[in-house]
Amino acid sequence: MARAKKKRRWSQLLRAQLPLPGALLAVWALGLLEPWLYLGALVRELGFHLALLALAGVVFALVRRYFVAAAALAGVAVLFALPLWPFYRATKPTPQSGPLLRVASLHLNGAELSSDTLAAWLARERPDAVALTGLRSDLGQASFDTYRVARSSDLRALLLVQAALAVPQRETLRGHASMLVRAGRCQARVVTLELPAIAAYAELDVRARMIDAARRLHSAPRSVWLGQLGSRAEAHDLQAFFADHQLRDARLGHGRLATAPASLGPLGFPLSSALVHGWISVRELNVMPPIVDGAHGSLTAVLELTEPRCRFSRDVPPE
């Protein structure tokens, strides 16, 4: 009799402790369906936040002395956090051997930006190239004497490159603001890219068409893609685009670096990205405050062209 009561008590205790870990585990399993299910994609976007929720549940369970629930929640937190591991992997700094490019990605999110504000930011930060996306209206060129400007076909994106580093190109990428940038003895193509947010269900078809169009763009030996992906860079619908252009996410080894909403800081979403292709290493990657209220956090990166032929030489012209 006593044995049956003890067994029943343990059964009741388990039933009281396991609903929350079970619910989070079911949500994690839903995320595995990302390629086929829209809700799965949203779960993957929230993976970081669900990991934090699971860890908060661990603390609550330990306070209540629900040790089985604490262990289960810890396991679920690991499942959500595991995809984030590559972004925090240890990297060994190497001596600089090639020329540097300082780039930035500013997503305005429809906020008003005056040319004077942008000119002041450029004078302060002095990037070699900066991509502006989410523009509400086009900006004039009067204040950008030291920069050359390329515009996307819809005028929602601009690319500014220091005039001393800009290289005239015979053809531009259709629909995209792009420019060749000189670095040492080499050139790198910088391209702006803005995609609808994956959370905007009504624009999923538009997003798919834009990704497909980006896949068909011509590649370059060295390229840097700056802009707003509307999702984490490892989203499933971006993988074919990444593979076609052999792109790497600049965040790898530098952390998650959330950019939106700016008010949430590190708890936001990493929507702005810098993607690199070729012999390019990422020496620094940071998120700065938005350039104006309502904009997303500004992503800045210091890139090094590590290919031996790119090392600066006055005797040999750039390739």
Side-chain angles (χ1 to χ4, degrees), residues 102-109 118 121-122 125 127-134 157-160 190-194 224-230 250 257-260 270-275 285-291 295-303:
R102 300 179 183 275
V103 300
S105 178
L106 312 180
H107 184 69
L108 278 299
N109 196 34
L118 179 57
W121 187 90
L122 292 172
E125 302 297 334
D128 297 324
V130 55
L132 287 89
T133 55
L158 293 180
L159 176 64
L160 285 76
V190 181
V191 187
T192 60
L193 181 65
E194 180 182 357
V224 180
W225 296 67
L226 302 171
Q228 178 85 349
L229 298 183
L257 295 178
T259 57
L271 301 186
S272 296
S273 294
L275 313 173
L285 190 65
N286 298 289
V287 172
M288 299 173 60
I291 188 171
H296 290 181
S298 304
L299 189 73
T300 64
V302 177
L303 310 176

Side-chain angles (χ1 to χ4, degrees), residues 10-275:
W10 268 102
S11 177
Q12 293 173 348
L13 188 61
L14 285 176
R15 285 199 300 269
Q17 293 187 45
L18 294 183
L20 180 57
L24 286 178
L25 185 60
V27 171
W28 172 81
L30 185 64
L32 298 179
L33 301 177
E34 177 185 7
W36 308 281
L37 193 65
Y38 174 68
L39 288 177
L42 294 183
V43 168
R44 287 295 185 94
E45 294 294 322
L46 292 167
F48 173 77
H49 305 83
L50 291 171
L52 293 180
L53 176 62
L55 289 176
V58 170
V59 175
F60 174 79
L62 289 175
V63 170
R64 296 294 300 270
R65 302 178 66 86
Y66 291 168
F67 299 115
V68 174
L73 285 168
V76 174
V78 169
L79 291 177
F80 280 118
L82 203 57
L84 302 173
W85 177 255
F87 302 123
Y88 295 92
R89 67 185 182 191
T91 57
K92 295 182 179 179
T94 57
Q96 181 187 342
S97 60
L100 299 179
L101 278 177
R102 300 179 183 275
V103 300
S105 178
L106 312 180
H107 184 69
L108 278 299
N109 196 34
E112 287 289 352
L113 174 66
S114 68
S115 57
D116 291 339
T117 300
L118 179 57
W121 187 90
L122 292 172
R124 183 174 67 253
E125 302 297 334
R126 304 191 61 168
D128 297 324
V130 55
L132 287 89
T133 55
L135 291 170
R136 179 182 296 181
S137 57
D138 190 21
L139 296 174
Q141 301 185 49
S143 302
F144 312 134
D145 296 334
T146 61
Y147 284 84
R148 290 188 59 185
V149 183
R151 289 167 167 76
S152 64
S153 57
D154 59 5
L155 301 181
R156 285 178 52 85
L158 293 180
L159 176 64
L160 285 76
V161 172
Q162 286 201 25
L165 301 178
V167 178
Q169 50 186 344
R170 297 178 181 176
E171 60 177 356
T172 58
L173 298 181
R174 181 183 303 176
H176 291 265
S178 66
M179 211 177 302
L180 293 175
V181 181
R182 182 182 294 108
R185 291 178 50 201
C186 288
Q187 298 170 2
R189 174 181 283 165
V190 181
V191 187
T192 60
L193 181 65
E194 180 182 357
L195 299 175
I198 201 171
Y201 183 80
E203 296 189 66
L204 289 182
D205 288 342
V206 176
R207 175 182 171 90
R209 288 196 298 269
M210 294 179 68
I211 293 174
D212 188 59
R215 290 180 60 185
R216 295 196 298 266
L217 296 176
H218 296 297
S219 297
R222 293 163 291 274
S223 60
V224 180
W225 296 67
L226 302 171
Q228 178 85 349
L229 298 183
S231 68
R232 69 199 194 288
E234 64 275 20
H236 184 271
D237 64 349
L238 293 172
Q239 295 314 298
F241 163 61
F242 271 57
D244 287 348
H245 292 283
Q246 299 180 342
L247 297 173
R248 306 186 309 278
D249 185 359
R251 292 177 303 154
L252 295 176
H254 292 82
R256 185 171 159 274
L257 295 178
T259 57
S263 58
L264 291 182
L267 296 181
F269 298 88
L271 301 186
S272 296
S273 294
L275 313 173

